[in-house]
Every structure is written in C-alpha cells, then in structure tokens.
Amino acid sequence: MTTGDIRDLDRRAVQASVEVVSRSTTDDLRRPTPCAGWTLADLLAHMTVQHYGFAAAAAGRGADLAVWKPRPPSQDPVADYAAAAECVIAAFAEPGVLERKFELPEIIPGLKFRAAQAIGFHFIDYVVHGWDVARSLGLPYSLPADLVQAALPVAEAVPEGERRLAPGAAFRPGIPVPADATALDRILAKLGRSPAWPG
C-alpha cells in the first residue's frame, strides 16, 4: 500500500460502512453484533466516536482524551454516524495531512504515528466494522476486490498478544480458516471474527 492511496481506500471503506448503516432502523439497535457484548447501538456509538477521534488526531488534537469519548445518544444514530463519517473523510483530505503525525492514545498513549499508518488503522477498522454491521442486520456484505486486497496485509500486520484479550480490545485473537478462504474471510479471522457469525 502506498501513502498516496490510503486516504482513498479509507474513504471508500467508510462510505461502504455508511451505506450498510443506512439500512438499519431504530428497531435494529438492540441486535447483537460480532463484537462480543455489544449491541448495534453500542457498535454505532463506537464507530461514530472513532471517526471524530481520528479527525481530531488528523488536526493535531488526538492526545485530548475527550475527543475519544462517546457523545450522548441522539434520536437518530444513523444520521449521527453519517455526519461523523463525513467529518473524518474531510479531515483526512486536508492538504498536508500525510506529512503530519497522529496521536492515538487508545492504541499507544504518548506515541505519534505516521499519518499513513494511522489512516491504515482507521481503514482496517471500517473494513471490519462494515462487516460487523451487515452481519448484525443479516445483510450480505461485499467490497471491491482491490479494497479487500489492500486491507489484507494491514490485517496481517496487526500483532497478536495479550492485548487482544483485554476488555474492550478492538480485535480478539486470530482464528484459523480453511486454505481456500476468501480474502475478506482471512481478514476477519485474522482479527478474531468468525466469518460464519452467528453460526
């Protein structure tokens, strides 16, 4: 993956997540998700605040823990999510953003990440979270092949270890998949999700 295309890949993954989230209704918010212990409402709240947190990090304000805290729930979490998605897409599109360093205290406090790496973290989150929402709703989920192929090495680079067992960890320990698994299924399994969820 090059630093020149990560923003476009991220934008497309986020827009795909907006599309699947838009198909949910208030009645769906109590549905379970592949994120253990989280309802769809919980997942949307997390996805929304992460967009705002990464947008703040792109603007040099990522060290402020307040930007990573969920906002009070509203009557329209779907619209809230779409607005947050537009915010982060715009933040990443700012001139010069790829020359900046991002502070992401939820990953490693005090460390500054290269912009392309930080946006890569965001990208893989929304490839996977789009699938999480689709599975929660019982909907099919597909992404363009080039986007999935770009996401696979990002997923494979996420380290295993005890951090994946911590409460609230973004990813659970990886699980095995058949040798002929699709690239998307390999991404999901690498990040601790069963492609057959909820089966």
Side-chain angles (χ1 to χ4, degrees):
M1 182 184 301
T2 67
T3 57
D5 67 9
I6 185 59
R7 293 187 296 177
D8 183 62
L9 291 166
D10 182 79
R11 175 186 59 79
R12 292 164 59 202
V14 170
Q15 289 174 337
S17 74
V18 170
E19 193 282 328
V20 72
V21 168
S22 74
R23 299 175 67 181
S24 64
T25 69
T26 302
D27 291 340
D28 293 318
L29 295 177
R30 294 184 179 178
R31 286 176 177 262
T33 72
C35 303
W38 280 8
T39 64
L40 183 58
D42 297 327
L43 177 58
L44 291 182
H46 166 78
M47 292 167 68
T48 297
V49 75
Q50 288 289 303
H51 284 328
Y52 285 123
F54 271 85
R61 297 184 291 108
D64 181 359
L65 293 179
V67 303
W68 301 95
K69 291 183 178 178
R71 300 180 176 202
S74 81
Q75 297 299 310
D76 195 346
V78 173
D80 293 345
Y81 180 72
E86 287 300 318
C87 177
V88 78
I89 289 170
F92 288 172
E94 285 287 325
V97 75
L98 290 177
E99 284 71 56
R100 300 175 192 168
K101 295 289 184 73
F102 286 36
E103 291 187 75
L104 305 172
E106 291 194 335
I107 297 177
I108 302 178
L111 183 65
K112 293 186 177 182
F113 295 90
R114 291 179 298 104
Q117 184 180 23
I119 297 171
F121 297 155
H122 189 263
F123 167 57
I124 195 63
D125 272 357
Y126 287 87
V127 167
V128 174
H129 282 327
W131 178 85
D132 290 333
V133 174
R135 295 307 304 143
S136 178
L137 297 173
L139 298 173
Y141 181 69
S142 62
L143 293 169
D146 68 313
L147 200 155
V148 176
Q149 288 300 325
L152 182 57
V154 181
E156 290 175 338
V158 176
E160 291 281 354
E162 293 185 2
R163 292 186 63 182
R164 292 207 189 188
L165 296 171
F171 304 121
R172 306 302 293 168
I175 60 175
V177 290
D180 61 351
T182 67
L184 180 58
D185 284 356
R186 288 166 63 195
I187 290 168
L188 297 169
K190 174 64 180 171
L191 300 179
R193 285 157 168 80
S194 168
W197 189 93

